[in-house]
Amino acid sequence: MEKRSTAGERLLETASALFYARGIGAVGVDAVVAQSGVSKPTLYAQFGSKDGLIAAVLDRRRWTRQEALTEFLAGVSSGPEEKLLAVFDWLALGHAKPGFRGCPFTNAAVELPDAGHPGRAVILAYKNWLRTTLADLAAEAGLADPEELGSDLLLLIDGANARVVHSGDSDAMRRAGSAAARLVAAARTPSGRAVPGPVISARPNKHTED
């Protein structure tokens, strides 16, 4: 994660909050500099353009989120199958927070249709990381077709994120977790594995929007 100057950090924090609350297209650089107290020339010197600022905001969110989920999973004392389902518990915590308005990466993808936009590469990197994390946990648990299962579980996550945006359904991720448990049960290899009880998840030390 790239370190920024004090002014750069203020710009990132301000832009991150404004982009998430109002939408990327609705927030111009004038609003960012006015609220951050940092000059426009400094913004351009630090990030080059609004597109550069958008990509930097998404990249900061990506690293923060990856570190937070990794830390959370390290605190789950159960095995890899339980950790796999605990991902949904962790995401559901974010959905239940006041002000949650959907996954910032999915929201940004809708607002950045140009595949060449620098922010799109960051969005893809985060989604690929999450899919790989799910697939790796599935493989560690000895589940069948872990790569396919990881992709299927990510589809559930993306669907729950979309549901909360268009319907305001703050319970969507919890129900996606129940669906994930059924997929996991169906993917168990015939080795006499017992069906796990409810996932007991460690409390995360930090959490950002999904």
Side-chain angles (χ1 to χ4, degrees):
M1 184 166 58
E2 184 178 354
K3 298 295 183 181
R4 298 280 179 177
S5 66
T6 301
E9 289 296 331
R10 280 209 308 276
L11 288 165
L12 278 178
E13 291 173 8
T14 302
S16 182
L18 290 175
F19 289 161
Y20 187 72
R22 302 181 191 175
I24 290 171
V27 176
V29 294
D30 288 340
V32 175
V33 299
Q35 188 156 321
S36 67
V38 178
S39 70
K40 189 181 293 187
T42 300
L43 183 151
Y44 286 118
Q46 292 270 337
F47 302 101
S49 64
K50 181 183 176 182
D51 286 346
L53 177 61
I54 292 167
V57 164
L58 290 170
D59 196 50
R60 175 61 57 86
R61 280 189 178 274
R62 175 173 74 97
W63 284 108
T64 299
R65 190 152 189 79
Q66 290 176 187
E67 290 172 1
L69 180 53
T70 299
E71 180 181 328
F72 173 79
L73 291 175
V76 177
S77 58
S78 305
E81 185 175 310
E82 290 73 21
K83 287 187 176 184
L84 179 60
L85 294 176
V87 172
F88 288 82
D89 289 351
W90 184 77
L91 293 170
L93 290 174
H95 277 229
K97 291 177 69 175
F100 182 76
R101 58 181 303 273
C103 170
F105 301 97
T106 302
N107 294 352
V110 173
E111 292 203 68
L112 305 174
D114 181 3
H117 190 286
R120 293 288 297 222
V122 182
I123 295 166
L124 183 61
Y126 171 71
K127 293 294 186 178
N128 283 341
W129 176 85
L130 184 54
R131 177 184 50 76
T132 299
T133 297
L134 295 167
D136 287 349
L137 287 170
E140 289 175 32
L143 300 174
D145 298 319
E147 291 294 329
E148 182 177 355
L149 180 58
S151 293
D152 290 345
L153 294 177
L154 184 58
L155 280 175
L156 286 176
I157 290 169
D158 286 340
N161 284 327
R163 185 72 173 267
V164 74
V165 171
H166 68 67
S167 300
D169 184 359
S170 61
D171 199 43
M173 191 60 72
R174 184 194 64 78
R175 287 186 287 107
S178 296
R182 292 191 291 272
L183 285 178
V184 166
R188 291 196 188 99
T189 55
S191 58
R193 292 175 59 87
V195 177
V199 175
I200 301 175
S201 304
R203 288 287 180 181
N205 292 329
K206 53 187 175 180
H207 195 286
T208 56
E209 300 86 353
D210 178 58

